[in-house]
Amino acid sequence: CAELAASANALYGSTEKDASIKNHTFEKDGATFIGWSLNRHELVDSQDKYEKIKPELVEQVTPSNKTRTLTGNDVYAVWAVDENRNNIPDYEEWVHLSYEANGGKANTMPSDLNNYFAGTNAALVQHGNMSHEVADGKPVVFLGWTLQPADHIYEREETAPAIIPSVTFGSEDMTVYAAWGYDADRNGKADVLKDYTLTYDLNGGSGTVPAQDSYKAGARVHIVHPEDLAKGKAVFAGWSTEPIEQILKVDPDIAMLRKILATDEYTMPAANVTLYAVWAEDLDGNTLPDYAENAVHIQYHSNNEKDEQTVLCPHHHIIHTKAVLSSNAQYLYGRTAQDNEIKNHSFKKDKAVFVGWSKEKLDDIRTQTQYAQISGSLLGSEITLGENNDVYAVWAVDENENGVADYREGVQLSYDANAQSGTVSGMPKNVENGIPGDKITLTGSPEHDPVDGKAVLF
């Protein structure tokens, strides 16, 4: 037997046109050499074709006396498509895209027979006949494609999944999954994707009307409070989801007061909403509704020694009832001691993030242990109103300023004595609040008890 050349790039011999013996190279545009065969083969452009001709590939031949134009035995180079010219057959690199029905009708899913290289981007089919059986008596419509399968059909009140318009391939095949949502009103659009409008009505007043905007059901909306609202001698008292036509006097009905939104955040329902301005008498001209002169108010403190701020919330509350606290320190509507004008304020603290409110000043949280110790002092989303309703911002250290409290991403460095026998003294304390990327100097000079009468050194 004779061994064949391992490649087509170094072939030593002569040709029909040149009898001198020297090196030759076989090349084929857009293709790479994959072996020799005793038969001619077309360009290999798929794994299937390669598997079919693979048994015919040879690495050695038995010379014969068969006479050719040149004395020798004929073998033929076999070539495979190599469009990206990296000397690897494309069929070894190609990756493919699959569409998964994920509960829908499999026969309505698109198919993609294309071959893709790693790093290429493919747009996903967004419009077609993708369909799902009726579920719970309601039509189900296609939302789009996701990289992870959802285990349910999306309801109106949920947050819609992250829909992707395209994929970028890595080195493996990819599958995208159909996401589905109910269409209760049968208008062809999933309920979870529908937007609802929030509109402001000055209810007979004048000033800047906040712009109408659209939100998904469940969205938390920051209510706008323009500073130039007026209605004769009445003052603006807040917003209500129901129109209150009369100007509120000094002793209004409690049920009427409860219609006024008592927080600056509003959770959008699955419906269009109009907020109506509420007006109240201010006979003493102090810019406060007369009915609120004896009301209780929440006072927010920044708990920031470098830039201490206090904001008095203008919402009027009844003592011994519950009130919703602002969910963050970025949107605090009210007045300060330095500025009587009611407007939005924001509390900030250098290298710290807001984690909640407390009835007392607390030190900044640095470790998970500290958080566990003070977590019982955090007020949550509501406060039961008393005579004094001061609340203080609680902060957690955020040295790397990534918006995440260090105690939530911190890592611990622990020292282990690794005692062989007896005890070890002088162990350093564990480091509880390390942040990924920190450099920590190792400390301590531990001492080990003697073992078998011999000193054991660190």
Side-chain angles (χ1 to χ4, degrees):
C1 291
E3 296 291 333
L4 298 177
S7 76
N9 294 324
L11 299 170
Y12 186 64
S14 60
T15 69
E16 292 178 344
K17 297 180 180 180
D18 186 353
S20 60
I21 297 176
K22 58 185 178 182
N23 281 323
H24 298 270
T25 297
F26 290 171
E27 293 179 340
K28 191 177 183 74
D29 190 40
T32 188
F33 172 79
I34 60 171
W36 302 101
S37 173
L38 299 178
N39 301 300
R40 294 179 185 272
H41 290 284
E42 295 180 353
L43 193 63
V44 179
D45 59 4
S46 71
Q47 186 70 40
D48 287 344
K49 286 187 178 179
Y50 172 72
E51 295 298 333
K52 288 179 181 178
I53 66 101
K54 184 178 178 180
E56 298 185 35
L57 297 181
V58 294
E59 296 180 355
Q60 58 186 21
V61 295
T62 301
S64 71
N65 295 322
K66 190 176 180 182
T67 303
R68 300 289 185 188
T69 304
L70 299 177
T71 300
N73 294 84
D74 292 345
V75 290
Y76 300 88
V78 182
W79 302 92
V81 174
D82 180 24
E83 292 181 356
N84 57 358
R85 292 175 169 80
N86 65 349
N87 295 322
I88 300 174
D90 288 350
Y91 63 76
E92 292 184 3
E93 300 182 281
W94 280 329
V95 287
H96 302 92
L97 175 64
S98 299
Y99 291 88
E100 170 60 48
N102 193 31
K105 297 179 181 178
N107 61 355
T108 66
M109 293 298 106
S111 61
D112 190 333
L113 302 179
N114 293 309
N115 300 311
Y116 298 97
F117 289 110
T120 58
N121 184 272
L124 301 178
V125 176
Q126 301 296 338
H127 304 286
N129 298 318
M130 291 77 78
S131 61
H132 194 291
E133 298 285 356
V134 172
D136 301 323
K138 295 177 285 187
V140 178
V141 296
F142 176 69
L143 296 177
W145 303 105
T146 62
L147 289 175
Q148 298 295 328
D151 59 0
H152 69 294
I153 301 169
Y154 284 87
E155 302 269 5
R156 181 192 295 271
E157 295 78 13
E158 293 184 88
T159 300
I163 300 301
I164 54 172
S166 62
V167 293
T168 299
F169 287 92
S171 59
E172 297 181 357
D173 294 342
M174 294 192 70
T175 299
V176 293
Y177 301 87
W180 305 97
Y182 288 110
D183 178 24
D185 55 9
R186 301 172 185 268
N187 71 346
K189 185 176 183 179
D191 300 335
V192 73
L193 296 180
K194 290 168 186 166
D195 288 335
Y196 299 94
T197 58
L198 179 64
T199 306
Y200 294 85
D201 186 322
L202 297 188
N203 194 19
S206 62
T208 302
V209 181
Q212 183 186 82
D213 211 339
S214 297
Y215 303 92
K216 298 282 189 301
R220 299 178 74 171
V221 181
H222 292 288
I223 302 300
V224 180
H225 300 277
E227 300 166 8
D228 60 347
L229 299 186
K231 187 177 182 179
K233 293 183 179 181
V235 293
F236 174 67
W239 298 101
S240 171
T241 56
E242 300 178 36
I244 299 175
E245 301 297 341
Q246 68 266 42
I247 293 175
L248 302 182
K249 297 185 180 298
V250 68
D251 189 21
D253 183 68
I254 295 299
M256 195 74 70
L257 291 180
R258 292 189 185 281
K259 294 181 180 181
I260 303 174
L261 298 181
T263 177
D264 296 323
E265 281 190 336
Y266 180 71
T267 301
M268 199 70 185
N272 295 327
V273 174
T274 298
L275 296 182
Y276 300 88
V278 181
W279 303 97
E281 285 186 343
D282 177 28
L283 298 180
D284 56 7
N286 68 349
T287 72
L288 285 175
D290 291 341
Y291 74 79
E293 299 289 346
N294 295 318
V296 293
H297 299 265
I298 300 172
Q299 189 158 249
Y300 294 94
H301 298 266
S302 66
N303 191 21
N304 182 350
E305 62 276 2
K306 290 184 179 179
D307 183 23
E308 189 64 38
Q309 290 179 279
T310 301
V311 173
L312 179 69
C313 175
H315 296 303
H316 317 296
H317 300 284
I318 303 167
I319 196 168
H320 305 313
T321 62
K322 288 186 176 182
V324 177
L325 295 170
S326 177
S327 64
N328 62 52
Q330 301 299 311
Y331 299 93
L332 297 169
Y333 180 67
R335 55 167 60 91
T336 67
Q338 296 77 28
D339 186 353
N340 199 46
E341 181 182 339
I342 297 175
K343 59 186 178 182
N344 281 321
H345 298 269
S346 177
F347 291 168
K348 295 180 180 178
K349 189 167 188 176
D350 289 342
K351 294 190 175 182
V353 292
F354 173 78
V355 295
W357 301 104
S358 172
K359 291 286 288 181
E360 58 183 332
K361 286 186 176 183
L362 297 174
D363 293 335
D364 292 354
I365 301 167
R366 294 184 175 275
T367 67
Q368 186 69 46
T369 301
Q370 285 180 300
Y371 176 78
Q373 290 171 345
I374 66 93
S375 59
S377 299
L378 296 178
L379 292 173
S381 60
E382 291 184 329
I383 182 176
T384 299
L385 298 158
E387 295 289 348
N388 183 326
N389 300 293
D390 289 72
V391 295
Y392 298 85
V394 181
W395 303 95
V397 174
D398 179 24
E399 289 287 354
N400 54 359
E401 298 182 300
N402 67 345
V404 179
D406 290 350
Y407 77 83
R408 294 182 59 189
E409 59 179 350
V411 291
Q412 177 172 302
L413 171 65
S414 300
Y415 292 91
D416 189 320
N418 192 25
Q420 303 304 302
S421 177
T423 60
V424 174
S425 59
M427 289 293 296
K429 291 183 178 180
N430 295 336
V431 179
E432 291 189 354
N433 58 335
I435 301 173
D438 276 355
K439 275 192 173 181
I440 299 176
T441 301
L442 301 182
T443 60
S445 298
E447 296 182 0
H448 197 296
D449 284 349
V451 177
D452 298 331
K454 301 175 185 177
V456 178
L457 302 181
F458 173 64

